Amino acid sequence: MRPQAILSLTRFLQFSLILSWLLHASPVEAHRVSSVSLISYLDTKQGTYVLDAAMEVVPSEEQALNDQISPEDAARQFAEEYLVVMFDRKDQKPAMDIRIEDASDSDTPQELRRQQVLTKMSGKIPAGAAEFLLYLDPSCPMAVVMVVVKDNQPSRRMQVVLAGEYSRPISVAPVEEGDPFSAEGAVSPSQTEPVKADAATETTPAAKAGPGAIHSGWRAFLREGLMPGFLLVGVLLLTLEKRSVLLQVATLLLAISVTVTVVASRHISLPDWSPIAFKVLFVGIVAESLFHDRIRWWRLPLVAIAGVIAGFEIAWTASFRGLFGSPGFGTGEVIRFLLGVELAFVLVGLLAALLLKALSRFECYRRAVVHPLAVLLISYGVYGVVELYL
């Protein structure tokens, strides 16, 4: 690549980083909620619900901003914007009561003192409702820890609800005797991980069987795990020589399949570092197509490592966790999920290869197609890295 082109690419990446930071940098805020824990009380006999949310509120360094938004206002805004109480997936409008407690003792320095705002949301359970859900708005800056108490009986485990996800459904059918959480349709101890809206019903045996698992794998690759698909496109940008393409694609698919199988079988757990590592490798693999057009000795090992971490990316999706997040699945579900992933992989690979092959007939292919597309994919990867740290 010519020096001018390299300089232009560098400037473009610098601009992309600055733009991503400007778009996602948080403005100076007044009082804001820094953590939330919540207890949901369900009284199926009286037909009422109460959600007690304990919110830790931290002040801004700017006192003038603190005077504009009180801790109570910050808590109310958080509850109204992010916490959605639902019965049978229908939004409710609970009454709200807010009071403040000092979460620090008298010896805590003023600058380190924290206030805890207790927010109570209450209302009537709709007649004929079957299940309770808590939904967390996708723009919520944190996860919410929730414990459910049904008919004075606490659930065995807490739930951690992530932004954009539902809690596990809790049956609101009255239980005359025994443990209310062991009733049919109620949440079980293993069903404590949250899932996204379109995956919430996939944890039932009927949803696991047959085409349901295939569809989950398809969706995990195409709809929820976009980066593995982009990685496949980025791999094809280096060269379209048949042998090179087959080696890289086979290496990538094998690595993804092995990783998904191992994680689904619970032989290893998902590493926290995989999202950042995947995006860095993604940028490196795509960037190589800007400088030459043939496979070097490091290419296949790099693609294999990226495939392993791409498998982790797929395992982070709600479809994967909805299917394998609780015990009871068998080898058949793993095979069908993998089949769905591989079908989506082949579809993306064929479409990308056919399109790039058709465009490669033009003399300006690398300059007009490969380089701009590589820059776009690199920018997307850099944006993902920046987003993780903002």
Side-chain angles (χ1 to χ4, degrees):
M1 181 180 286
R2 294 175 298 178
Q4 290 182 346
I6 296 176
L7 180 60
S8 299
L9 174 61
T10 303
R11 289 176 176 173
F12 180 83
L13 292 178
Q14 290 174 342
F15 172 77
S16 300
L17 283 170
I18 295 172
L19 181 61
S20 297
W21 183 84
L22 290 174
L23 289 174
H24 289 80
S26 300
V28 178
E29 298 177 340
H31 287 101
R32 63 181 179 84
V33 176
S34 62
S35 64
V36 179
S37 57
L38 187 146
I39 303 177
S40 297
Y41 297 93
L42 303 176
D43 189 333
T44 63
K45 295 180 175 60
Q46 298 296 325
T48 60
Y49 68 89
V50 176
L51 276 66
D52 278 339
M55 305 182 185
E56 184 175 344
V57 177
V58 295
S60 168
E61 296 179 356
E62 299 288 340
Q63 186 57 43
L65 292 175
N66 293 330
D67 294 338
Q68 293 177 11
I69 300 180
S70 66
E72 296 96 324
D73 291 337
R76 184 180 299 276
Q77 183 178 5
F78 184 94
E80 291 177 347
E81 289 187 4
Y82 302 132
L83 302 179
V84 182
V85 179
M86 308 180 77
F87 286 91
D88 295 342
R89 297 185 182 271
K90 295 181 180 179
D91 296 4
Q92 306 298 310
K93 298 295 183 182
M96 198 173 300
D97 179 62
I98 300 176
R99 60 187 177 90
I100 296 180
E101 285 189 357
D102 198 336
S104 306
D105 56 39
S106 57
D107 296 330
T108 304
Q110 184 62 35
E111 63 273 13
L112 298 179
R113 298 182 72 84
R114 295 290 182 266
Q115 290 180 315
Q116 191 173 65
V117 182
L118 303 181
T119 305
K120 178 177 290 187
M121 296 171 284
S122 59
K124 289 282 188 180
I125 298 175
E131 62 182 25
F132 160 79
L133 292 166
L134 179 71
Y135 178 68
L136 200 57
D137 189 89
S139 60
C140 185
M142 69 194 72
V144 171
V145 178
M146 181 177 71
V147 172
V148 178
V149 179
K150 178 182 175 184
D151 295 338
N152 297 319
Q153 179 70 35
S155 58
R156 299 180 184 89
R157 296 183 184 178
M158 67 179 63
Q159 300 187 46
V160 180
V161 187
L162 304 179
E165 298 187 349
Y166 289 91
S167 67
R168 287 291 181 180
I170 304 296
S171 171
V172 295
V175 178
E176 299 299 332
E177 297 180 1
D179 182 357
F181 289 95
S182 63
E184 182 179 358
V187 70
S188 66
S190 61
Q191 293 175 313
T192 55
E193 291 188 17
V195 294
K196 294 190 177 180
D198 57 359
T201 61
E202 293 183 9
T203 56
T204 63
K208 285 184 181 181
I214 296 176
H215 181 63
S216 294
W218 176 277
R219 183 171 58 231
F221 188 89
L222 283 182
R223 291 180 55 187
E224 299 172 19
L226 292 177
M227 288 291 284
F230 289 159
L231 173 64
L232 177 56
V233 175
V235 163
L236 296 175
L237 291 180
L238 180 66
T239 176
L240 291 175
E241 192 271 324
K242 184 181 296 185
R243 182 174 180 274
S244 299
V245 167
L246 290 177
L247 282 174
Q248 292 183 90
V249 170
T251 299
L252 185 61
L253 182 58
L254 179 62
I256 290 175
S257 300
V258 170
T259 303
V260 170
T261 302
V262 171
V263 175
S265 302
R266 300 185 178 180
H267 291 301
I268 61 173
S269 57
L270 288 173
D272 294 334
W273 48 262
S274 65
I276 182 67
F278 179 68
K279 290 173 176 61
V280 171
L281 278 172
F282 172 83
V283 170
I285 286 176
V286 176
E288 190 175 357
S289 62
L290 293 172
F291 303 102
H292 59 84
D293 59 355
R294 60 185 182 275
I295 288 186
R296 303 291 179 87
W297 64 267
W298 60 79
R299 181 70 175 187
L300 289 182
L302 193 63
V303 169
I305 296 172
V308 169
I309 305 181
F312 289 140
E313 285 289 296
I314 293 172
W316 278 111
T317 63
S319 293
F320 181 93
R321 289 182 290 139
L323 193 63
F324 303 112
S326 59
F329 62 88
T331 305
E333 280 73 38
V334 178
I335 294 174
R336 282 187 282 268
F337 182 87
L338 273 179
L339 180 59
V341 170
E342 291 166 356
L343 287 173
F345 181 97
V346 170
L347 175 65
V348 172
L350 281 176
L351 291 177
L354 290 174
L355 180 59
L356 293 175
K357 190 67 175 178
L359 294 173
S360 67
R361 298 173 183 175
F362 298 97
E363 293 183 1
C364 60
Y365 167 68
R366 295 201 65 81
R367 183 178 69 256
V369 178
V370 173
H371 291 173
L373 187 55
V375 169
L376 286 175
L377 291 175
I378 290 170
S379 299
Y380 183 77
V382 171
Y383 162 77
V385 173
V386 174
E387 188 179 36
L388 289 174
Y389 285 98
L390 289 181

